[in-house]
Amino acid sequence: MNKDNSNSQPASIFNNPNEDTPDMGGGLPVIGYWAQHTLSPEGAKLWKTLLHKSACLSCAWGTGGQKGGFTNESGEKLQRCMKSVESISAEIQPGITRQFFQQQNIQQLKQLTSREADRLGRWSFPVILRSGKSNYERISWNEIYSICKKAFTSNKTPERIASYSSGRSSNEAAFLLQLMMRTLGSNNLADCSDLCHAPSSFGLKQTLGTGTSVVSLESLKKADCIVLAGSNAAYNHPRLMNELIQLRDRGGKVIVINPMKEVGLIKFASPAFLNSLLTGSDIASIYLQPIPGSDVALFMGIQKALLEKGKINKDYLKAYTEDWQEVINQVENTAWETITATCGVSQIEIETAANIIVNSEKTVFAWAMGITQQKNGVDNIYSIVNTALMTGNIGKEGAGVMPVRGHSNVQGFGSMGVTVRLKKEIQQALEKLLNRPLSKVKGYDTHALIEAADEGKVETLICVGGNLYAANPDLNKVKRALSKIETIIYLATKPNLGHFHGLANKNTIIIPVFNRFENPHKTTVESGNNFVRLNDEGETHLKKADLISEVDFLTELAHLIHSDYPVNWRKLQDTKYVRELIAKTIPGYEKIGEIDETEEEFTISGRIFKTPKFPTASGKAKMFVTPLPELTLPEIKDFDVNEETQGIVIALMTGRSYAQHNTVVYQTEDKYRGIPHRNCILMNKNDVEKAGFEQHQRVKVKGNVGELENVEIIYGDVREGAGVMFYPEVNVIFRAEVEERCGTPGFKRVPVLVYK
Ligand SMILES: Nc1nc2c(c(=O)[nH]1)N[C@H]1C(S)=C(S)[C@@H](COP(=O)(O)OP(=O)(O)OC[C@H]3O[C@@H](n4cnc5c(=O)[nH]c(N)nc54)[C@H](O)[C@@H]3O)O[C@H]1N2
Ligand SMILES: Nc1nc2c(c(=O)[nH]1)N[C@H]1C(S)=C(S)[C@@H](COP(=O)(O)OP(=O)(O)OC[C@H]3O[C@@H](n4cnc5c(=O)[nH]c(N)nc54)[C@H](O)[C@@H]3O)O[C@H]1N2
Ligand code: SF4
Ligand SMILES: [Mo]
């Protein structure tokens, strides 16, 4: 590779051995999907929703809101992607009928796939599965509240009550959930972010004193280089691709770091720009393919290259950071051979990437699950922050660090205090409100919640959205753990695998809720770029259904448990009063107190860093030495198979197909990766041949707690030694290694045996 001419190589670097796959991401298939859905019989409902003033349901990029469904945070139009249509289409399905549950017993419902469960339609009335019964049945609201009141108040310590939540709901629901739980004395506020960006929040807090991105969309538009590590934005944050396209158009560079060559990160055709749509736009200027789990080494390599070129910004480090000398010493003392052997990327490629950063004025370092879902996810964050600090890229416009967040309001949940690591400021504000200290007992994050439930330590669980069962590794254990909980209450819009497999010991109750564009009151959400959106009131197409808003249910439940302490809960059913409470409690959210009058959406104060002053105790950023990971794989015999077994052990990266949203599968194929159905493993051709297999052969894939059979091998441009499979199906075969500092499972480096 030519050191100085690293800006244009995309088409040729894509070496997909699978000839049937498209040669770019996005493109005409996306327009086709739009047309098919918006012109279909459901089209009118779909358009109504697209035009409704509310934030997109799908990812945290933050499209939609008061300026209209198609507008991004900078006011640009044409920003609604196909993923958004996909998620709305699922919400505007008809309701499930009452007869359905009379006809289908739980054993039959357990046979459904994720897609089939979602296609049953919307939950449209509350149901209960009582112990010993074989069918879900309709239940009255009176009985629900009486069971819930008992479940939350009788004969137990607060630690035996827990919640889990997922970031589709509103800030208002999130705030109420945590206030209700903390008033009870329970800090058990597990959340989907524990499985997702928790290492980012943890790592950024330790280093920079903040928990979220320090870059706004506006600022991103001024960058001239973006490092995109462990993210497949072409699938999961499609409108981020517009920013990458525009950055390339203005002469900027994109460094992609990903063990898998994702076609959309090489070339992407965006419907927002006609030229791009017709011919496709180059995305990656350089594409580095490290060994899964080795990013710390790769970033250390970049740091070493900077050091050797004399390009470390020591003035910046001296003025604005702490402990930088230790980090530089480590880089100095780590040999290139160790670095390249650990990450599997050559010195020259690493130097090329370092050169690009050095020659750029403003670099944004962005990342997603490839970085966080690792046993050493926090070290990954440290190594990225170290690199950004060494190049003076934090605390100025157009530069910074940017975790690319998942669910559309997952970040809002964290801001509202739905977390086991509560900010001091929020703790103090809540203690003032309650007029007593909060419980000091450490709460369960998602991983700890499953462990505690399995040990019989949880009696009552409320799940505000999500799919606790299928989102976790080791599904059989999760099922067993949940079955030891006496009462589980699921608030949900649509059925998912968790409602049929994640059953309680005594009562499993499903509360059907309005989604974001149906609520009878206004709500707010927070995007990954720290922008707060206001969602207008709406209505549901399910005219005969018996739905409730999350806010109404939580306030009524809280009223039953706490009466009028510390607030008049029923008054909070008018969400304006919740926003007033949020304004007083949540740092940076002051403006939400007036949003009902002003309708002014806003950037949360204190989050975007334009100067290198940090909200840490010393005002400086803190740097951490990052140990290199030891990335050995087990041997065939370690999988408890006989010695003659023909096969190969690889590091499996488990994640999303093109057409799924987390545990919910919309379509079975993944056309951009050439994967025809869900039971496939994507592998490097050389690995397949080494193991004596061939493309399309059916094999078994074995993890440390189970195996999948009849799995079809598909060739893909993934580096040797790695493979790709889809969750939630694959979650049945492995117990993950866990990042000890925040409980996040290592979903992106799962050792598996592929064998006959
Ligand atoms: N359409 C759609 N949009 C979504 C979602 C969805 O399911 N569907 N989910 C939402 C949520 S909750 C989230 S968290 C985000 C997820 O968005 P992403 O993080 O983009 O999704 P993943 O598929 O989990 O993995 C991202 C990439 O990490 C790479 N990777 C794996 N291991 C490594 C590694 O060791 N190092 C590096 N550098 N890369 C690695 C994989 O090859 C993959 O390309 O998307 C959000 N948006
Ligand atoms: N192997 C593997 N496992 C993973 C991952 C991976 O990459 N690999 N990724 C992890 C990540 S990043 C995440 S975020 C988790 C996802 O974990 P979760 O967030 O727990 O799961 P989802 O599939 O997003 O939950 C979907 C359900 O949410 C409900 N829902 C949707 N909208 C609303 C709403 O407005 N209100 C309410 N109350 N309910 C609603 C619907 O019932 C829907 O079925 O999975 C994790 N698990
Ligand atoms: S990029 Fe994300 S927020 Fe924007 S329209 Fe697509 S799914 Fe919605
Ligand atoms: Mo996520």
Side-chain angles (χ1 to χ4, degrees):
M1 190 172 304
N2 186 330
K3 264 192 188 183
D4 300 312
N5 183 20
S6 53
N7 56 341
S8 192
Q9 36 159 328
S12 60
I13 60 170
F14 189 52
N15 189 21
N16 193 350
N18 209 328
E19 282 161 14
D20 304 331
T21 50
D23 57 4
M24 61 181 93
L28 292 174
V30 171
I31 301 281
Y33 182 94
W34 261 91
Q36 189 195 340
H37 283 259
T38 48
L39 300 175
S40 73
E42 77 196 23
K45 269 188 253 162
L46 194 65
W47 274 111
K48 192 172 162 206
T49 307
L50 285 167
L51 297 170
H52 185 256
K53 287 185 180 174
S54 54
C56 169
L57 293 175
S58 191
C59 86
W61 194 245
T63 312
Q66 288 300 300
K67 294 223 172 66
F70 290 84
T71 320
N72 72 8
E73 294 169 4
S74 294
E76 293 166 316
K77 303 283 173 194
L78 272 180
Q79 299 291 325
R80 200 79 171 216
C81 79
M82 181 220 128
K83 295 288 141 194
S84 171
V85 175
E86 200 167 57
S87 60
I88 297 170
S89 297
E91 296 290 328
I92 59 179
Q93 295 180 87
I96 303 175
T97 63
R98 194 168 177 165
Q99 294 84 322
F100 178 80
F101 290 110
Q102 288 159 1
Q103 289 154 3
Q104 302 286 319
N105 65 35
I106 193 71
Q107 290 313 328
Q108 292 167 306
L109 295 171
K110 280 184 183 173
Q111 306 306 315
L112 299 177
T113 61
S114 161
R115 183 170 190 276
E116 287 164 344
D118 187 69
R119 293 297 117 172
L120 293 178
R122 283 282 297 274
W123 285 116
S124 39
F125 48 87
V127 291
I128 182 167
L129 183 69
R130 301 174 203 272
S131 67
K133 290 290 177 69
S134 56
N135 291 59
Y136 268 112
E137 59 187 270
R138 189 162 186 164
I139 175 176
S140 72
W141 289 103
N142 274 345
E143 194 187 354
I144 291 173
Y145 288 123
S146 120
I147 292 176
C148 288
K149 182 172 181 184
K150 200 159 157 243
F152 279 89
T153 54
S154 64
N155 297 327
K156 51 179 71 92
T157 58
E159 291 76 40
R160 296 183 71 79
I161 300 174
S163 71
Y164 172 76
S165 47
S166 153
R168 269 261 181 118
S169 318
S170 60
N171 286 334
E172 289 73 7
F175 184 84
L176 290 166
L177 174 69
Q178 65 87 31
L179 185 59
M180 177 184 90
M181 293 291 292
R182 296 198 197 274
T183 305
L184 257 171
S186 171
N187 291 321
N188 295 331
L189 287 145
D191 185 74
C192 70
S193 59
D194 302 333
L195 308 172
C196 184
H197 264 296
S200 308
S201 314
F202 183 94
L204 291 175
K205 185 84 193 161
Q206 300 296 314
T207 52
L208 307 179
T210 188
T212 62
S213 170
V214 306
V215 186
S216 63
L217 179 55
E218 204 190 330
S219 180
L220 180 67
K221 288 180 179 299
K222 297 181 183 145
D224 56 1
C225 175
I226 295 184
V227 178
L228 188 69
S231 148
N232 184 10
Y235 278 27
N236 300 314
H237 302 89
R239 285 303 166 260
L240 168 56
M241 300 308 291
N242 286 352
E243 303 310 319
L244 303 181
I245 292 170
Q246 288 175 307
L247 175 123
R248 289 298 309 267
D249 283 351
R250 59 179 185 265
K253 303 276 164 66
V254 176
I255 301 172
V256 175
I257 302 176
N258 196 318
M260 163 88 197
K261 288 257 177 77
E262 304 284 12
V263 62
L265 301 183
I266 293 163
K267 214 176 177 85
F268 190 82
S270 170
F273 312 113
L274 190 62
N275 274 352
S276 168
L277 181 64
L278 296 178
T279 56
S281 307
D282 290 344
I283 303 297
S285 311
I286 179 173
Y287 207 121
L288 306 179
Q289 280 186 280
I291 291 167
S294 73
D295 294 77
V296 162
L298 201 157
F299 279 98
M300 197 183 285
I302 293 178
Q303 294 159 17
K304 196 168 179 72
L306 295 170
L307 188 68
E308 290 179 351
K309 285 176 212 299
K311 294 289 183 188
I312 292 204
N313 189 339
K314 289 221 172 124
D315 293 340
Y316 179 99
L317 293 183
K318 282 179 199 157
Y320 307 119
T321 72
E322 284 177 335
D323 300 337
W324 57 273
Q325 192 62 58
E326 283 90 328
V327 176
I328 294 206
N329 291 348
Q330 185 200 19
V331 174
E332 215 157 25
N333 295 333
T334 309
W336 270 113
E337 298 73 57
T338 313
I339 290 173
T340 54
T342 308
C343 69
V345 179
S346 68
Q347 184 175 340
I348 188 131
E349 285 175 291
I350 297 177
E351 285 171 343
T352 306
N355 261 342
I356 295 179
I357 298 172
V358 165
N359 293 329
S360 306
E361 274 173 35
K362 291 163 282 185
T363 300
V364 168
F365 296 79
W367 67 88
M369 295 303 102
I371 293 296
T372 62
Q373 292 175 337
Q374 302 286 359
K375 184 181 163 37
N376 64 338
V378 172
D379 290 331
N380 277 340
I381 308 303
Y382 289 161
S383 70
I384 294 176
V385 172
N386 287 346
T387 313
L389 291 169
M390 285 177 189
T391 48
N393 269 310
I394 306 187
K396 65 179 183 192
E397 281 220 275
V401 287
M402 187 176 102
V404 184
R405 299 296 304 246
H407 272 297
S408 54
N409 193 35
V410 63
Q411 194 166 297
F413 265 69
S415 295
M416 294 302 119
V418 179
T419 166
V420 293
R421 282 173 294 276
L422 191 66
K423 273 190 185 151
K424 251 254 135 27
E425 298 94 316
I426 306 182
Q427 184 198 330
Q428 286 163 349
L430 291 175
E431 291 183 340
K432 201 168 145 205
L433 181 71
L434 292 172
N435 200 16
R436 61 167 157 83
L438 295 183
S439 161
K440 300 269 182 305
V441 181
K442 189 173 182 301
Y444 301 138
D445 59 25
T446 305
H447 173 71
L449 169 62
I450 301 298
E451 296 296 320
D454 202 33
E455 288 163 23
K457 292 182 183 161
V458 180
E459 262 172 82
T460 301
L461 172 69
I462 179 167
C463 292
V464 180
N467 185 349
L468 177 61
Y469 160 74
N472 272 283
D474 200 353
L475 295 184
N476 287 321
K477 174 173 173 176
V478 182
K479 188 184 293 196
R480 181 182 72 207
L482 295 179
S483 76
K484 295 178 185 172
I485 299 176
E486 209 164 278
T487 310
I488 301 182
I489 302 139
Y490 289 113
L491 275 60
T493 53
K494 298 169 302 156
N496 62 45
L497 295 175
H499 303 145
F500 306 139
H501 294 271
L503 301 175
N505 180 268
K506 207 162 154 198
N507 290 314
T508 310
I509 296 176
I510 295 172
I511 308 287
V513 296
F514 294 115
N515 62 40
R516 183 171 303 162
F517 53 82
E518 296 172 333
N519 274 316
H521 44 66
K522 289 191 198 299
T523 56
T524 58
V525 293
E526 171 184 331
S527 79
N529 307 321
N530 300 299
F531 193 74
V532 176
R533 289 278 193 200
L534 177 65
N535 307 309
D536 272 358
E537 302 86 349
E539 55 180 17
T540 177
H541 65 290
L542 300 167
K543 296 297 173 214
K544 293 195 191 125
D546 190 8
L547 310 182
I548 191 167
S549 86
E550 290 157 338
V551 166
D552 282 0
F553 182 75
L554 290 170
T555 44
E556 195 55 35
L557 179 59
H559 173 77
L560 284 174
I561 305 169
H562 302 300
S563 193
D564 279 343
Y565 174 72
V567 284
N568 179 343
W569 294 93
R570 281 181 168 159
K571 188 178 162 198
L572 298 179
Q573 287 177 355
D574 181 344
T575 53
K576 183 178 182 323
Y577 297 111
V578 186
R579 286 186 282 281
E580 282 178 7
L581 263 182
I582 294 173
K584 285 187 206 142
T585 321
I586 306 299
Y589 259 82
E590 301 78 18
K591 280 194 178 171
I592 206 173
E594 292 101 53
I595 202 169
D596 289 75
E597 287 76 45
T598 60
E599 295 190 346
E600 190 196 331
E601 299 177 318
F602 61 92
T603 296
I604 299 155
S605 64
R607 298 268 181 96
I608 309 299
F609 292 4
K610 292 185 183 158
T611 55
K613 274 204 202 96
F614 300 94
T616 52
S618 62
K620 292 185 173 187
K622 190 166 160 54
M623 293 174 71
F624 287 86
V625 167
T626 52
L628 291 184
E630 296 219 4
L631 300 174
T632 51
L633 283 169
E635 292 175 31
I636 293 184
K637 64 174 171 37
D638 299 326
F639 284 85
D640 208 15
V641 287
N642 69 41
E643 293 216 348
E644 292 80 55
T645 300
Q646 181 197 348
I648 183 168
V649 179
I650 60 168
L652 196 64
M653 306 187 285
T654 68
R656 296 150 174 82
S657 79
Y658 181 61
Q660 77 180 76
H661 193 98
N662 296 340
T663 69
V664 180
V665 176
Y666 294 131
Q667 288 170 50
T668 48
E669 68 162 353
D670 182 345
K671 58 175 177 283
Y672 293 103
R673 291 187 185 127
I675 299 180
H677 57 88
R678 303 283 305 172
N679 201 26
C680 293
I681 183 166
L682 186 138
M683 289 176 71
N684 183 294
K685 189 166 181 270
N686 294 343
D687 283 338
V688 176
E689 287 173 356
K690 224 185 302 168
F693 301 143
E694 53 192 43
Q695 163 132 269
H696 303 304
Q697 185 167 344
R698 299 288 180 146
V699 289
K700 294 180 193 158
V701 180
K702 192 171 186 353
N704 54 6
V705 296
E707 71 177 13
L708 287 168
E709 294 186 348
N710 209 24
V711 180
E712 182 173 349
I713 294 179
I714 301 294
Y715 288 164
D717 204 347
V718 62
R719 71 164 292 141
E720 279 184 62
V724 173
M725 281 181 87
F726 300 142
Y727 96 102
E729 293 88 339
V730 74
N731 285 7
V732 75
I733 70 169
F734 66 95
R735 175 178 307 148
E737 289 203 280
V738 168
E739 166 51 272
E740 300 288 340
R741 289 162 283 192
C742 46
T744 307
F747 288 125
K748 294 293 188 270
R749 191 182 161 83
V750 179
V752 293
L753 169 63
V754 183
Y755 75 115
K756 246 196 345 209

